[in-house]
Amino acid sequence: MPPERADCVVIGAGHNGLVAAAYLARAGLRPLVVERRALVGGSAVTEELWPGFRISRAAYVAGLLRPAVVRELGLHARGLRLLPREPASFTPLPDGGGLLLGADEHANVASIRRFSARDAARHPAYERWLDRVARAVEPLLDAPPPDPRRPRAGDVATLARVGRRLMALRRELPETARLLLGSARATLERWFESEPLRGTLATDALIGAWAEPGTPGTGYVLFHHVMGETNGARGTWAYVAGGMGRLSETLADAARAAGATIRLEAPVAAIRVAQGAVRGVRLADGSELDTPLVVSNADPAATLLGLVGAEHLSDDTLAELRALDFRSPVVKINLALDRLPDFRGMSGASPGPEHAGTIHVGAIDLESQARSFAAAVSGALPERPLVELTLASALDGSLAPPGRHVASLFVQHVPPHWDEEDWRERRDVFADRVLALVDEVAPGFPASVLEREVLAPPDLARIFGLTGGNIFHGAMTPERLLFLRPFPGASRYRTPIRGLWLCGAGTHPGGGVMGACGRNAAREILRARRVGTLR
């Protein structure tokens, strides 16, 4: 059978792959998206793991999705509905009550005052500072990263806009530089004196990262998670009505409406290369697709080492790829519950403010978080890991049968080098330990669990195609940001193989359900097409 021909093949129907396909199709190409699983979304999927219980199986919360993607692809008109979480965060304490944080500044001050009057007075200024920095830096998210090795006219305009906004910070510039280049702990300790405030804020710097609060670079990861908006409200995170898969379905709808084709259960075995250029792809069933343009939503290592092969890469490119850090410290636990947790001193088991946002248990202070990481470094499971618990069904009743609920627990730190055999007898032990931590603040929680799924890093790699189980497609440390992501020479989505481009989270601006990587990659491909440098 002769090879099938296609204008363009997009590997992977993760959210960035769908975004890239939609923009390419809107420009007149006819992309063919090939996806190895039976559903679109990559890590942003909703799956009915147990009858009636619909789970955001991997990614579980939205907040970084770029407004331009929502607007330009008409996602709200296609059925996307975001449910803002307010309050956004709850850190319960064993003696009852806890720390509630959200969009209401007065409520935040009142909650923080229980722990420190000084911190309560300083917190509004901290929030305003982060917002000013975010407004200054955000233009960098929506464009290919300026590359000092190959500067372009557009780089000057982008940098000038960011520079003007940063200069407006004036006396805050040193503190801003320390945030973006240093550790989260250093910034939080300069601002605040109390726990659990510092530990609660530090979770944004740690989730998904092989790091503890004092690790250089965690300041940027903290900042990365405060950017974005939901329904026009800045810094607000949300659940997607219907689960994270509903977002992916609206993106797939936008791509198809523009002219893209999506083929499910079509895993790619290899990217065909000859004389340094793409010739097409070969699928796992042996069929071939001829195309001069391949856009990969897989991570850089999976794409270049796994699908292209070392024999087609230079020694320099191989060295760069092998230096990428894909260590993952996380375990994802999905639960079906017969009731909501009843936190000590709160409203009870009916949905209350404590159930709306992210609930932090276990390592809720900076020292505990450092000990959690140290245990994993030593090759052990921490006694008190860092746990983020979310209860999307408290806001979205469509996810579970009446009176029942779903829960997501994102847990770290675990040794990143353990393989499937290492985890075989440890999954349930670790899950029991995590549920016991929730039981400390919500007695009876383990008894409410009807079903559970425990996904360790090898499971995240196997199911979702994440090298090492890393949710960011590679570490987001300072040496892997902007024109250094994923490595110099591939920072503008173009790889050393002519006609092969990247569009996943391993590219600028990085991880999270943003859509920015896919949008930027498509726009860069279309620019190259206009000026005749596509290949």
Side-chain angles (χ1 to χ4, degrees):
M1 180 181 297
E4 182 181 349
R5 298 191 62 81
D7 286 355
C8 166
V9 171
V10 177
I11 299 175
H15 82 281
N16 276 310
L18 295 171
V19 169
Y23 279 95
L24 292 173
R26 283 158 52 97
L29 292 172
R30 290 295 176 264
L32 171 59
V33 183
V34 288
E35 166 58 43
R36 65 186 182 88
R37 299 194 70 203
L39 73 170
V40 299
S43 296
V45 291
T46 305
E47 299 189 57
E48 189 170 354
L49 298 184
W50 311 286
F53 292 92
R54 302 173 63 232
I55 308 291
S56 291
R57 197 176 183 190
Y60 53 96
V61 68
L64 297 177
L65 186 63
R66 299 305 300 151
V69 171
V70 176
R71 181 180 65 254
E72 292 165 1
L73 299 185
L75 299 188
H76 288 310
R78 300 182 188 280
L80 177 65
R81 191 159 62 94
L82 300 175
L83 306 175
R85 309 178 322 149
E86 181 57 31
S89 165
F90 175 48
T91 305
L93 300 178
D95 63 354
L99 177 67
L100 280 163
L101 298 174
D104 186 331
E105 183 176 298
H106 295 294
N108 290 342
V109 168
S111 186
I112 296 168
R113 190 177 289 121
R114 175 182 175 186
F115 306 98
S116 167
R118 175 183 178 272
D119 288 356
R122 288 175 64 82
H123 187 262
Y126 171 81
E127 291 284 295
R128 290 192 295 270
W129 168 59
L130 286 183
D131 183 68
R132 288 193 295 273
V133 178
R135 290 178 184 274
V137 173
E138 277 183 344
L140 290 173
L141 302 181
D142 294 322
D147 188 344
R149 303 190 318 165
R150 293 186 297 276
R152 298 195 307 225
D155 294 349
V156 176
T158 299
L159 290 173
R161 186 162 65 253
V162 172
R164 285 194 299 270
R165 294 183 181 186
L166 285 174
M167 290 307 298
L169 297 174
R170 294 187 180 89
R171 287 176 294 179
E172 295 172 314
L173 272 177
E175 180 73 5
T176 299
R178 285 195 291 259
L179 168 70
L180 299 179
L181 299 175
S183 74
R185 182 168 194 155
T187 289
L188 293 172
E189 288 183 337
R190 279 194 295 271
W191 276 91
F192 304 116
E193 64 183 8
S194 69
E195 300 288 3
L197 176 61
R198 296 189 303 191
T200 296
L201 297 176
T203 59
D204 280 341
L206 301 180
I207 288 301
W210 177 245
E212 54 97 1
T215 302
T218 51
Y220 175 78
V221 180
L222 184 155
F223 170 71
H224 182 84
H225 283 95
V226 305
M227 292 187 285
E229 62 182 61
T230 296
N231 299 336
R234 291 183 55 79
T236 299
W237 286 62
Y239 297 121
V240 178
M244 293 297 288
R246 185 68 191 116
L247 166 61
S248 299
E249 289 163 6
T250 63
L251 290 170
D253 183 46
R256 290 189 181 105
T261 300
I262 300 173
R263 187 175 299 174
L264 302 176
E265 297 183 284
V268 173
I271 296 171
R272 295 161 47 219
V273 174
Q275 298 178 325
V278 159
R279 293 293 183 262
V281 302
R282 184 175 70 254
L283 302 182
D285 64 6
S287 62
E288 294 188 342
L289 302 171
D290 279 353
T291 181
L293 175 60
V294 173
V295 185
S296 177
N297 190 37
D299 67 64
T303 300
L304 291 166
L305 292 176
L307 297 178
V308 170
E311 65 273 19
H312 296 294
L313 304 172
S314 70
D315 290 344
D316 286 347
T317 297
L318 289 172
E320 293 283 6
L321 288 167
R322 289 166 179 160
L324 296 178
D325 183 358
F326 291 99
R327 287 175 295 180
S328 171
V330 303
V331 166
K332 177 78 188 303
I333 304 175
N334 297 309
L335 303 178
L337 305 177
D338 68 4
R339 61 188 181 274
L340 286 173
D342 185 358
F343 294 99
R344 298 181 193 272
M346 300 303 288
S347 62
S350 59
E354 70 274 22
H355 299 116
T358 298
I359 301 152
H360 304 98
V361 298
I364 61 170
D365 61 80
L366 297 179
E367 288 301 324
S368 295
Q369 291 162 2
R371 287 195 295 271
S372 173
F373 179 67
V377 169
S378 72
L381 294 172
E383 291 298 319
R384 299 187 68 82
L386 171 62
V387 181
E388 284 200 349
L389 164 65
T390 53
L391 301 155
S393 55
L395 297 184
D396 181 4
S398 74
L399 299 177
R404 301 291 189 257
H405 288 275
V406 296
S408 168
L409 298 104
F410 206 59
V411 190
Q412 59 190 79
H413 302 82
V414 299
H417 60 276
W418 284 0
D419 60 17
E420 173 61 32
E421 186 61 32
D422 294 318
W423 275 104
R424 192 175 307 282
E425 296 181 359
R426 291 182 169 101
R427 283 185 184 83
D428 287 335
V429 171
F430 192 55
D432 288 343
R433 185 176 301 177
V434 170
L435 297 188
L437 292 174
V438 182
D439 189 63
E440 292 178 359
V441 294
F445 181 76
S448 73
V449 177
L450 301 171
E451 304 281 356
R452 75 184 186 190
E453 177 187 51
V454 184
L455 301 176
D459 305 307
L460 297 173
R462 171 178 49 83
I463 297 169
F464 302 106
L466 302 171
T467 296
N470 188 287
I471 64 171
F472 298 140
H473 284 201
M476 291 181 57
T477 44
E479 76 275 12
R480 295 297 177 194
L481 297 175
L482 295 170
F483 69 95
L484 301 174
R485 187 169 187 86
F487 55 85
S491 62
R492 284 177 170 160
Y493 314 99
R494 189 194 298 259
T495 76
I497 304 297
R498 296 192 305 278
L500 175 61
W501 300 69
L502 299 171
C503 71
T507 64
H508 170 80
V513 183
M514 304 178 73
C517 301
R519 179 177 182 267
N520 290 349
R523 296 174 76 196
E524 190 72 359
I525 291 167
L526 295 172
R527 177 191 177 278
R529 186 171 177 237
R530 287 194 303 272
V531 301
T533 61
L534 189 59
R535 290 174 60 84

